[in-house]
């Protein structure tokens, strides 16, 4: 079955890995957020793409969920000696990824083709598609002022309260042809348990993506989202606090409301089974499953369950 998954970094990568384990090679396409991309030391860094790439290549650091297993920090220490900021933790091997991407982009290769070539080199058997080749950047209005996403996320450890989020460039940006084709040819569309505000919205907000979800519905293609909020909390990161400060409800129901009209089925964690009837009032089916992916087997089990929802 051809599955197209919309994803951010952590939660997105884990579910992508679940699907990769249970689908035939090439059947999974992951459309990944690039609005939290940044430039560092003159290099292009695509944190969500890298998290998905490393996870699907079996190289991710299992302790952090980002970066490479066993990486070292010699280059970062040296950059620090040159007076460069070192709060964005780039390991030595990780640095090579950013060098390679920047090299390809500099040679005129698109971000999409650069990602494909790197995924091929690492033996990934799924398609990883940046949502757009155009420049889109998340800017957060916070109680500590206006912040670029990585400044908020990494340097300030998500401590400021987010009062508004905007995505610079999103009106002019286009999803790539490959993304539109993946949405058109999917037999199942899935929104990963990713941050709905800063990971999923910058994909859905690209012109034509919501329309592609609608035409999938017209073709009878199931559209499913998995809640990133479990028992009123994010498993990792600031999604719960961000939802609350942006006047959404910081529960699975609050996330379901954000996806109303876009999906047919919303997957709630077992811990949130009591919210199922309220989710169904949003004219979507509520399915209760264990959604917390602690192991590779959990990921595969959830992916398999989604294939048959
Ligand atoms: P980011 O780009 O690194 O912030 O990652 P994502 O946007 O993809 O994911 C962040 C969200 O993933 C958070 O709201 C987490 O609660 C959620 N998440 C992480 N792991 C899991 C999991 O195993 N199950 C579920 N249901 N959600 C998860």
């Amino acid at each position: 079955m051809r599955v197209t998954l919309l994803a951010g970094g952590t939660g997105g990568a884990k579910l992508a890995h679940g699907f990769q384990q249970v689908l035939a090679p090439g059947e999974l396409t992951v459309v990944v957020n690039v609005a939290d991309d940044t430039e560092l030391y003159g290099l292009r860094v695509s944190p969500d793409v890298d998290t998905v790439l490393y996870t699907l290549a079996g190289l991710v650091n299992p302790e952090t969920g980002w970066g490479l297993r066993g990486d070292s920090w010699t280059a970062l220490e040296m950059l620090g000696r040159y007076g460069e900021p070192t709060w964005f933790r780039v390991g030595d091997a990780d640095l090579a990824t950013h060098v390679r991407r920047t090299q390809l982009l500099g040679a005129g290769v698109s971000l999409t083709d650069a990602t494909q070539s790197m995924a091929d080199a690492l033996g990934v058997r799924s398609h990883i598609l940046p949502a757009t080749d155009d420049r889109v950047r998340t800017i957060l209005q916070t109680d500590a002022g206006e912040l670029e996403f990585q400044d908020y996320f990494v340097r300030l450890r998500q401590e400021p309260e987010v009062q508004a989020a905007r995505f610079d460039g999103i009106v002019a940006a286009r999803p790539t042809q490959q993304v539109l084709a993946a949405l058109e040819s999917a037999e199942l569309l899935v929104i990963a348990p990713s941050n709905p505000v800063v990971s999923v919205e910058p994909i859905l907000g690209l012109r034509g993506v919501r329309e592609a979800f609608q035409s999938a519905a017209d073709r009878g293609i199931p559209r499913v989202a998995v809640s990133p909020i479990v028992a009123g909390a994010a498993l990792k990161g600031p999604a719960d606090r961000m939802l609350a400060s942006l006047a959404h409800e910081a529960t699975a129901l609050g996330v379901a409301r954000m996806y109303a009209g876009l999906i047919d089925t919303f997957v709630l964690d077992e811990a949130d089974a009591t919210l199922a009837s309220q989710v169904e009032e949003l004219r979507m089916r509520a399915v209760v499953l264990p959604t917390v992916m602690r192991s590779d087997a959990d990921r595969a089990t959830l992916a398999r369950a989604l294939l048959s929802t």
Side-chain angles (χ1 to χ4, degrees):
M1 185 189 263
R2 283 188 306 279
V3 175
T4 297
L5 176 73
L6 270 50
T10 326
K14 287 200 267 178
L15 185 56
H17 183 227
F19 278 117
Q20 184 173 266
Q21 289 178 70
V22 302
L23 292 170
E27 283 189 329
L28 173 66
T29 300
V30 194
V31 176
V32 188
N33 173 43
V34 289
D36 59 6
D37 284 17
T38 191
E39 282 77 30
L40 198 65
Y41 317 127
L43 304 175
R44 168 71 173 268
V45 181
S46 294
D48 287 357
V49 169
D50 290 342
T51 298
V52 172
L53 177 68
Y54 296 157
T55 303
L56 294 184
L59 299 172
V60 79
N61 179 343
E63 266 120 58
T64 53
W66 54 267
L68 288 146
R69 192 193 314 120
D71 212 347
S72 51
W73 308 95
T74 311
L76 193 70
E77 278 162 26
M78 195 65 183
L79 284 158
R81 288 183 64 184
Y82 288 129
E84 287 292 318
T86 56
W87 51 262
F88 195 92
R89 306 298 294 165
V90 177
D92 295 327
D94 194 18
L95 187 66
T97 298
H98 312 319
V99 168
R100 178 64 177 151
R101 172 182 296 116
T102 307
Q103 178 188 28
L104 289 167
L105 293 174
V109 176
S110 68
L111 182 63
T112 297
D113 290 345
T115 305
Q116 180 71 50
S117 119
M118 293 161 74
D120 287 346
L122 297 181
V124 173
R125 39 194 196 83
S126 304
H127 306 289
I128 303 174
L129 297 179
T132 178
D133 284 334
D134 298 326
R135 184 189 165 90
V136 178
R137 289 290 186 274
T138 300
I139 306 289
L140 300 172
Q141 189 63 48
T142 77
D143 59 0
E146 193 166 273
L147 297 172
E148 289 180 11
F149 186 77
Q150 297 305 337
D151 225 15
Y152 159 80
F153 199 83
V154 182
R155 186 174 69 84
L156 298 173
R157 294 184 294 275
Q158 308 131 47
E159 280 159 13
E161 185 182 284
V162 175
Q163 297 155 342
R166 66 167 206 271
F167 308 108
D168 275 3
I170 196 147
V171 175
R174 296 288 173 269
T176 62
Q177 280 311 314
Q178 292 88 333
V179 165
L180 292 174
L183 294 170
E184 270 159 32
S185 64
E187 295 164 291
L188 173 66
L189 288 178
V190 183
I191 300 178
S194 289
N195 187 317
V197 179
V198 290
S199 292
V200 180
E201 181 53 34
I203 305 175
L204 292 176
L206 291 166
R207 185 189 290 186
V209 172
R210 284 177 187 274
E211 290 79 356
F213 266 67
Q214 185 52 52
S215 47
D218 298 342
R219 295 192 307 275
I221 300 300
R223 303 164 304 165
V224 183
V226 180
S227 180
I229 302 290
V230 175
L235 298 177
K236 199 174 173 195
D240 47 3
R241 283 182 299 120
M242 217 181 253
L243 286 171
S245 66
L246 293 174
H248 298 286
E249 198 177 294
T251 63
L253 177 62
V255 178
R257 286 196 185 114
M258 296 172 77
Y259 295 151
L262 193 70
I263 55 164
D264 320 294
T265 302
F266 189 74
V267 176
L268 294 152
D269 191 76
E270 288 171 325
D272 293 314
T274 54
L275 296 175
S277 58
Q278 284 167 278
V279 168
E280 298 216 316
E281 284 167 19
L282 300 169
R283 301 175 64 181
M284 54 179 82
R285 207 160 51 100
V287 173
V288 176
L289 291 170
T291 71
V292 180
M293 296 172 277
R294 291 190 189 84
S295 65
D296 289 0
D298 291 345
R299 299 170 180 183
T301 303
L302 178 57
R304 210 174 280 115
L306 294 172
L307 292 176
S308 54
T309 51

